Amino acid sequence: MFIQNGWSIPVEITKKGSKTMKGISLWEPWASLIACGAKRYETRSWPTNYRGPLLICASKGGLLKSKLIDVIEELAYQGGLAPLIGKPLDATGENTHCRSITHKHLQFGKAVAICRLTDCKETGHMSQDEIGIDMPFGDFASGRFAWKLDDVCRLECSPSFTGRQGLFNVPLDVSRTRQFVSVLRHNTCQKELTQQWIDELLGEL
């Protein structure tokens, strides 16, 4: 485990001795909503005990194109995805005066963010205030689980990445770690957070 500035990466050792962290695949536009900072909880039908770094991957497939277009035309989605076109995040959509985001701005088949999974809550125990701006972006029906995502760092130059169902291992060999660091170094926003992730990943080499 590498520790710097109060941060730590819990690293698993596989049977072959390689280091890994966890990844998860989501359909678009929900993967990009996490990357943009609008979606702070990922709601699932199953809980997880995992806590630590999590690579957010956008699946290649997902909604039918017609349904996807309908979804992202909603004002909350337009505001939540605004950083994709260089505009400020507006998760309520109240300040979004035109529908500028299209399906062409989404990142199918790519790793879009790295974040930290810090908690897993039963949705039935969450208040409306706690859910907040996430309400349009998740299924908070009773009996489900909300995974709390912190320290979300968008990968502005999203690399192609093939994910899998459920939580899966992401190898942190030297080549893959350097790839993530190179991608992070191209970020133009979130400079301090980006550098923290770079330092943390380099500490695993």
Side-chain angles (χ1 to χ4, degrees), residues 4-152:
Q4 178 169 329
N5 298 327
W7 287 40
S8 62
I9 281 187
V11 175
E12 296 184 2
I13 305 298
T14 66
K15 291 181 180 179
K16 295 183 179 180
S18 61
K19 299 174 181 178
T20 67
M21 67 176 178
K22 296 295 186 183
I24 194 166
S25 295
L26 288 80
W27 286 2
E28 286 284 43
W30 295 280
S32 286
L33 284 167
I34 291 175
C36 290
K39 180 174 166 65
R40 304 162 303 154
Y41 291 99
E42 166 58 8
T43 53
R44 296 265 157 168
S45 61
W46 46 280
T48 178
N49 292 322
Y50 176 73
R51 303 291 183 272
L54 186 66
L55 187 69
I56 303 298
C57 303
S59 301
K60 289 184 178 180
L63 297 174
L64 293 174
K65 183 178 178 180
S66 58
K67 177 62 176 177
L68 177 63
I69 291 173
D70 288 343
V71 169
I72 61 178
E73 282 188 345
E74 296 178 20
L75 287 181
Y77 283 80
Q78 286 289 309
L81 294 169
L84 294 181
I85 56 172
K87 294 184 178 181
L89 172 67
D90 173 27
T92 64
E94 294 176 356
N95 298 317
T96 303
H97 303 297
C98 60
R99 291 178 168 83
S100 302
I101 306 294
T102 73
H103 66 282
K104 295 180 181 179
H105 292 108
L106 302 177
Q107 303 293 311
F108 298 96
K110 295 184 176 182
V112 298
I114 186 170
C115 64
R116 197 174 306 279
L117 175 53
T118 59
D119 201 1
C120 181
K121 305 179 180 184
E122 293 185 38
T123 51
H125 295 165
M126 297 177 69
S127 67
Q128 292 291 325
D129 287 343
E130 192 173 11
I131 296 171
I133 62 172
D134 271 71
M135 184 60 77
F137 308 136
D139 182 354
F140 290 90
S142 182
R144 293 176 60 80
F145 299 88
W147 299 10
K148 182 71 168 67
L149 307 176
D150 291 311
D151 302 326
V152 179

Side-chain angles (χ1 to χ4, degrees), residues 116-191:
R116 197 174 306 279
L117 175 53
T118 59
D119 201 1
C120 181
K121 305 179 180 184
E122 293 185 38
T123 51
H125 295 165
M126 297 177 69
S127 67
Q128 292 291 325
D129 287 343
E130 192 173 11
I131 296 171
I133 62 172
D134 271 71
M135 184 60 77
F137 308 136
D139 182 354
F140 290 90
S142 182
R144 293 176 60 80
F145 299 88
W147 299 10
K148 182 71 168 67
L149 307 176
D150 291 311
D151 302 326
V152 179
C153 188
R154 179 181 159 210
L155 304 179
E156 294 176 29
C157 296
S158 304
S160 297
F161 197 96
T162 301
R164 296 190 295 277
Q165 290 187 338
L167 277 176
F168 58 87
N169 287 332
V170 179
L172 284 179
D173 53 31
V174 172
S175 176
R176 177 59 57 77
T177 300
R178 286 177 174 168
Q179 178 193 25
F180 287 149
V181 168
S182 177
V183 168
L184 284 164
R185 283 179 172 155
H186 283 84
N187 277 6
T188 59
C189 301
Q190 298 179 292
K191 288 292 189 180

